[in-house]
Amino acid sequence: MGQVERIGVSLEKELLAKFDKLIAKQGYQSRSEAIRDLVRQQISDKQVEDPKAEAVAAVILVYDHHATKLMEKLTSLQHSHLLQTISAMHIHLNEHDCLEVVVLRGRVGEIKKTAENIISIKGVKLGRINFVAAGKTSD
Ligand code: NI
């Protein structure tokens, strides 16, 4: 952690009570740690609104591996985006469905395009993209 500055925050009693209840449930040891995480989250979320920002994204897919040519298309898409694809994890959910997490790195706009190409493959039942800013947000 860099140099720390102490700040005072004014909150309505009711709001603070709700906040304390929430962070206790989440397991935070202190308000400061919870507030730091919230601030980092906000900064990261704001950064990834810019299509040119550097980011890493976890693309989560659920698909039926019996779907025609799906596996082939999925692999081919990852091979043609080598610079963006960092890693992939595959889990067999049941007899039909697989869960795959593909981690992409690059500019937000390019990642989004690749992720949408992956999610729109016929046979993909569920697709989500979770972005995290790759730049330094804070310590
Ligand atoms: Ni599988």
Side-chain angles (χ1 to χ4, degrees), residues 76-86 104 110 114 117:
S76 154
L77 253 171
Q78 289 182 49
H79 277 272
S80 59
H81 291 87
L82 280 181
L83 289 175
Q84 287 181 359
T85 307
I86 300 174
L104 302 172
E110 291 157 7
T114 304
N117 284 339

Side-chain angles (χ1 to χ4, degrees), residues 38-120:
L38 280 174
V39 171
R40 287 189 197 106
Q41 182 70 53
Q42 282 290 309
I43 292 170
S44 174
D45 287 353
K46 265 282 165 241
Q47 283 177 336
V48 299
E49 282 177 12
D50 176 5
K52 288 180 185 147
E54 287 292 325
V56 173
V59 182
I60 303 162
L61 307 165
V62 173
Y63 60 84
D64 186 337
H65 71 108
H66 295 111
T68 325
K69 303 229 167 165
L70 183 144
M71 301 281 284
E72 222 175 291
K73 283 180 196 159
L74 187 58
T75 307
S76 154
L77 253 171
Q78 289 182 49
H79 277 272
S80 59
H81 291 87
L82 280 181
L83 289 175
Q84 287 181 359
T85 307
I86 300 174
S87 173
M89 180 173 68
H90 184 109
I91 293 153
H92 312 301
L93 285 180
N94 54 45
E95 306 83 51
H96 301 284
D97 297 329
C98 305
L99 180 137
E100 194 146 321
V101 182
V102 180
V103 181
L104 302 172
R105 184 180 197 125
R107 293 188 188 276
V108 169
E110 291 157 7
I111 291 175
K112 220 177 242 175
K113 214 185 281 174
T114 304
E116 283 167 357
N117 284 339
I118 292 173
I119 290 169
S120 63

